[in-house]
Amino acid sequence: MTKTLRYSLMALAGCFVLMIGGAEARTWKISHVRPQGTAIDNDLRWFSDSIKEATGKKIRTKVYPASALGDYTVVQERVSLGAVDMACQPPSSAADKRFQLPYFPYMVKNWDQARKNYSPGAPLRGTVETLYAEQGIKLLAAWPVYFGGIALNTAPVAQGDPDAAKGIKLRVPPMKTFQLMADTTGYLGTPIPFSDAFTAVQTGVVDGVIGSGAEGYYASFRDVTKYYIPANTHFEVWYFIMNQELYDTLSPELQAKLSKVAAEFETRRWNAAEEDQKANEKRLADSGAQIVPISESEIAAIAKKIQSQVWPVVLKDVGEAWGQGVLDAIIK
């Protein structure tokens, strides 16, 4: 069976379910990438309980943790087609190269600037909403995760010098931005799907991971993380999305209730995220990882090199005029 035919059949199956039962007659599936009991899992279970109560059980959901419904790149396609109802996860540039832009390395410097740019009403938020809409996906909320870093299973080498060759092989997400960031700062980037990354580190295929942060490394990689470098590589945001056609089947009243609970879901996270990052760095340390010091001036030097050498390459990949327009609208 071809990939196109398989997705067509999934889409038809999703439409059939809606036709015979309606959006309110079944339990929606919510996918995410982290194990059960992690922060995102707990927040989505809060959402599930809250939306059930707010709608008088007219909207019922079930949370599927740990990529149980597939790798996030596949899940985004399935949300687009209606085979998965909802997900809270990173955007996939496999579906659209322009999704690299929200994850531009060293685009925002601190939590205050991040909140200004990733919240509703900001130009960047509007851009992301439009990209999802082109795939038949409704953006409900953002879930800020962390400023990223590097987790290693081997001793770091010149972590503050972007010009030094490290000889360390890193798993990078399947996004050009992360591949270039690793290669430009002296590492050897190797694209590996998230679902295979732990095994890759455990078996020595790679020496560490880039593309996540303390929360992700503690949740999914703490058993293979001996060192953590809080290099502020990028600002990670996951998006709470759902199939647009499913959303459109809801009455205006239910749409309003869904939007209200989703907005509260986002606000709760913004209020907790910065402290959660600090707590996860401590959890990593408590589990045996050494937190490797890196100064603000060293981070600034890395950022300068990334902005001058990586940004222009990725802008060509996503469309220079379009990408530069988005970057120019970033709120300082």
Side-chain angles (χ1 to χ4, degrees), residues 130 213 222-223:
T130 298
R222 63 179 177 269
D223 292 339

Side-chain angles (χ1 to χ4, degrees), residues 31-33 40 70-77 79 87-92 103 132 236-241:
S31 175
H32 74 84
V33 301
I40 182 58
D71 187 78
Y72 74 91
T73 58
V74 175
V75 167
Q76 183 167 317
E77 291 185 75
V79 172
C88 190
Q89 59 181 34
S92 169
Y103 278 16
Y132 276 123
E236 177 107 358
V237 174
W238 296 343
Y239 293 101
F240 194 18
I241 56 176

Side-chain angles (χ1 to χ4, degrees), residues 12-13 44 65-66 91 93 102 138 181 192-193 204 253 260 267 274 299 312:
L12 287 172
L44 285 172
S93 63
K138 171 72 175 177
M181 178 166 56
I192 296 173
E253 179 186 6
K260 183 178 180 181
T267 298
E274 185 173 4
I299 291 174

Side-chain angles (χ1 to χ4, degrees), residues 61-81:
T61 59
K62 182 178 180 181
V63 177
Y64 290 80
S67 300
L69 301 180
D71 187 78
Y72 74 91
T73 58
V74 175
V75 167
Q76 183 167 317
E77 291 185 75
R78 290 176 175 170
V79 172
S80 175
L81 295 166

Side-chain angles (χ1 to χ4, degrees), residues 34-313:
R34 291 289 188 256
Q36 187 171 347
T38 53
I40 182 58
D41 188 67
N42 292 337
D43 279 4
L44 285 172
R45 292 181 193 280
W46 172 89
F47 171 85
S48 187
D49 292 339
S50 298
I51 195 64
K52 180 180 178 181
E53 180 180 353
T55 63
K57 300 183 180 179
K58 290 181 178 179
I59 295 179
R60 294 169 295 168
T61 59
K62 182 178 180 181
V63 177
Y64 290 80
S67 300
L69 301 180
D71 187 78
Y72 74 91
T73 58
V74 175
V75 167
Q76 183 167 317
E77 291 185 75
R78 290 176 175 170
V79 172
S80 175
L81 295 166
V84 173
D85 306 297
M86 309 178 81
C88 190
Q89 59 181 34
S92 169
S93 63
D96 188 331
K97 290 182 178 180
R98 292 175 296 173
F99 270 121
Q100 295 177 89
L101 201 64
Y103 278 16
F104 251 41
Y106 298 99
M107 187 167 65
V108 296
K109 296 180 180 180
N110 53 54
W111 282 95
D112 182 60
Q113 187 189 13
R115 189 164 190 170
K116 290 176 182 177
N117 283 281
Y118 289 90
S119 292
L124 181 60
R125 176 65 167 261
T127 296
V128 174
E129 188 171 2
T130 298
L131 293 179
Y132 276 123
E134 290 176 4
Q135 296 181 27
I137 294 174
K138 171 72 175 177
L139 174 58
L140 295 173
W143 199 82
V145 194
Y146 44 63
F147 278 92
I150 301 168
L152 298 174
N153 197 27
T154 189
V157 176
Q159 68 273 5
D161 184 356
D163 298 321
K166 276 75 169 174
I168 293 174
K169 188 178 291 186
L170 293 180
R171 175 266 174 181
V172 300
M175 283 187 182
K176 195 170 188 176
T177 47
F178 288 106
Q179 176 77 61
L180 290 170
M181 178 166 56
D183 294 345
T184 302
T185 53
Y187 294 97
L188 305 170
T190 303
I192 296 173
F194 177 82
S195 54
D196 299 327
F198 179 88
T199 302
V201 180
Q202 187 179 47
T203 57
V205 173
V206 293
D207 305 304
V209 183
I210 194 171
S212 193
E215 180 272 341
Y217 297 134
Y218 179 77
S220 302
F221 296 94
R222 63 179 177 269
D223 292 339
V224 292
T225 297
K226 296 179 180 178
Y227 303 89
Y228 177 64
I229 307 170
N232 285 10
T233 53
H234 68 293
F235 187 70
E236 177 107 358
V237 174
W238 296 343
Y239 293 101
F240 194 18
I241 56 176
M242 71 176 293
N243 177 264
Q244 181 69 55
E245 290 186 4
L246 177 60
Y247 179 83
D248 292 342
T249 65
L250 299 175
S251 67
E253 179 186 6
L254 286 179
Q255 288 180 352
K257 289 180 178 179
L258 178 59
S259 296
K260 183 178 180 181
V261 176
E264 188 174 353
F265 167 84
E266 176 170 344
T267 298
R268 282 164 48 94
R269 179 57 187 176
W270 276 115
N271 292 340
E274 185 173 4
E275 290 303 314
D276 193 48
Q277 175 175 301
K278 295 175 183 176
N280 279 299
E281 289 178 1
K282 185 178 185 303
R283 290 186 185 107
L284 270 179
D286 290 345
S287 69
Q290 179 180 330
I291 308 301
V292 181
I294 183 168
S295 68
E296 290 187 10
S297 61
E298 287 173 328
I299 291 174
I302 296 170
K304 184 178 180 180
K305 185 174 185 180
I306 293 297
Q307 290 164 359
S308 64
Q309 296 189 22
V310 173
W311 282 19
V313 177

